[in-house]
């Protein structure tokens, strides 16, 4: 089967949901995660998706997770020969959405407690594929948490904290580890410091950053001149 997420869900997953769980389908919200949901998959990519249900309905439909796992095991076009299968469709309660804040935002009309939201989760909400959203939960959350909606003071605070982390938790920590001849620790700290540099670039541009696996790809999509620093940062790791 061709690795096409729209076709796979349309021809395999949605027919299963309609035939066995038609009574709850209109309450479901489905997002495709990872590289598949960002349309940057390669031959090593697994398929990850999440299906949210209101908590009451989720508690009453525990078998749905098992049914999806069984279906995926038989039909998964992302399964790779000789490799551990990492593809999964998770069924989660709505209260878990967006760092456990999504349901609260939906119920109070978009009142956002920004400090409780991670930049990685905000990136996912903005960038990953919304496959099924009849209640427009994802759509509303995406609009309400757009980067230009975050207060300027919070961007400044995030930049300050990231700079502080770069100097104190990064450069200084590396110097101390080298002085103590703890070279393995210094290499680990260098990797974390490089990650901090990339993340700082996003904050300067007032953009959310993704989880580590997609950090370099997303950095290349930032506006100039920040994105032009990518090759230079790459050279630091060689």
């Amino acid at each position: 089967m061709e690795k096409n997420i729209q076709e796979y869900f349309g021809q395999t997953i949605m027919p299963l949901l309609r035939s066995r769980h038609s009574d709850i389908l209109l309450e479901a919200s489905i997002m495709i995660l990872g590289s598949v949901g960002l349309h940057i998959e390669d031959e090593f990519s697994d398929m990850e998706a999440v299906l949210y249900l209101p908590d009451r309905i989720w508690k009453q439909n525990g078998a749905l997770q098992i049914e999806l796992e069984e279906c995926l095991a038989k039909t998964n076009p992302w399964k790779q020969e000789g490799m551990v299968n990492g593809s999964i469709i998770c069924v989660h309660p709505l209260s878990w959405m967006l760092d456990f804040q999504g349901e609260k935002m939906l119920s109070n009309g978009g009142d956002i407690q920004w400090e409780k939201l991670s930049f990685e989760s905000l990136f996912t909400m903005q960038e990953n594929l919304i496959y099924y959203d009849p209640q427009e939960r994802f759509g509303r959350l995406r609009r309400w948490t757009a980067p230009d909606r975050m207060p300027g003071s919070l961007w400044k605070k995030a930049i300050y904290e990231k700079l502080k982390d770069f100097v104190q938790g990064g450069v200084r920590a590396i110097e101390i580890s080298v002085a103590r001849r703890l070279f393995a620790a210094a290499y680990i700290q260098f990797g974390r410091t490089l990650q901090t540099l990339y993340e700082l670039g996003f904050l300067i541009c007032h953009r959310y950053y993704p989880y580590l696996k997609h950090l370099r790809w997303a950095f290349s999509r930032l506006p100039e001149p920040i994105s032009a620093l990518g090759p230079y940062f790459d050279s630091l790791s060689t």
Side-chain angles (χ1 to χ4, degrees):
M1 182 185 295
E2 182 182 0
K3 294 181 180 180
N4 184 301
I5 190 65
Q6 296 282 359
E7 290 184 5
Y8 179 68
F9 265 75
Q11 298 175 6
T12 305
I13 301 301
M14 295 305 289
L16 182 150
L17 294 175
R18 291 190 186 99
S19 66
R20 301 184 185 181
H21 300 279
S22 60
D23 57 323
I24 65 172
L25 189 55
L26 283 178
E27 289 294 337
S29 299
I30 302 174
M31 176 176 279
I32 312 302
L33 307 176
S35 57
V36 176
L38 292 170
H39 307 290
I40 56 170
E41 62 187 290
D42 58 21
E43 66 272 23
F44 303 109
S45 296
D46 293 310
M47 190 279 293
E48 305 168 71
V50 59
L51 186 157
Y52 287 103
L53 289 168
D55 289 44
R56 175 182 56 82
I57 298 176
W58 175 76
K59 291 177 181 178
Q60 296 171 351
N61 289 270
L64 176 56
Q65 180 70 72
I66 297 174
E67 292 173 10
L68 288 173
E69 289 176 0
E70 291 176 346
C71 177
L72 189 60
K74 297 175 182 177
T75 64
N76 179 17
W78 287 270
K79 186 176 182 180
Q80 302 165 48
E81 194 68 31
M83 298 185 68
V84 176
N85 178 29
S87 295
I88 189 170
I89 303 174
C90 295
V91 182
H92 286 170
L94 194 58
S95 59
W96 292 8
M97 183 183 285
L98 194 57
D99 292 338
F100 302 94
Q101 300 302 310
E103 185 181 34
K104 298 176 184 177
M105 292 165 57
L106 291 167
S107 63
N108 63 27
D111 184 22
I112 305 173
Q113 299 185 50
W114 291 98
E115 288 90 346
K116 294 185 177 181
L117 302 175
S118 70
F119 284 100
E120 293 91 345
S121 293
L122 287 167
F123 178 92
T124 298
M125 182 57 64
Q126 291 296 315
E127 301 293 339
N128 276 80
L129 174 64
I130 299 172
Y131 177 78
Y132 183 74
D133 193 28
Q135 304 293 332
E136 216 201 2
R137 296 185 183 110
F138 289 130
R140 283 179 284 163
L141 290 173
R142 178 170 288 185
R143 291 194 298 273
W144 293 340
T145 61
D148 59 4
R149 299 289 298 273
M150 178 179 283
S153 59
L154 293 182
W155 285 111
K156 292 178 182 178
K157 180 182 178 181
I159 292 172
Y160 169 76
E161 291 177 346
K162 194 66 66 174
L163 282 170
K164 182 179 178 181
D165 184 45
F166 173 73
V167 175
Q168 297 182 0
V171 176
R172 181 57 178 158
I174 294 172
E175 290 175 345
I176 293 174
S177 291
V178 171
R180 291 172 173 167
R181 302 185 67 80
L182 300 173
F183 299 119
Y187 278 117
I188 293 170
Q189 289 158 344
F190 173 76
R192 292 173 178 168
T193 302
L194 189 58
Q195 179 179 349
T196 300
L197 273 177
Y198 279 116
E199 292 171 349
L200 187 58
F202 286 88
L203 300 180
I204 291 172
C205 296
H206 287 198
R207 303 282 184 84
Y208 305 135
Y209 51 77
Y211 292 102
L212 180 60
K213 183 167 62 173
H214 302 123
L215 191 63
R216 181 63 183 89
W217 164 79
F219 191 87
S220 67
R221 299 170 68 225
L222 293 177
E224 297 278 4
I226 296 298
S227 60
L229 295 172
Y232 173 70
F233 290 164
D234 293 342
S235 69
L236 295 177
S237 61
T238 60

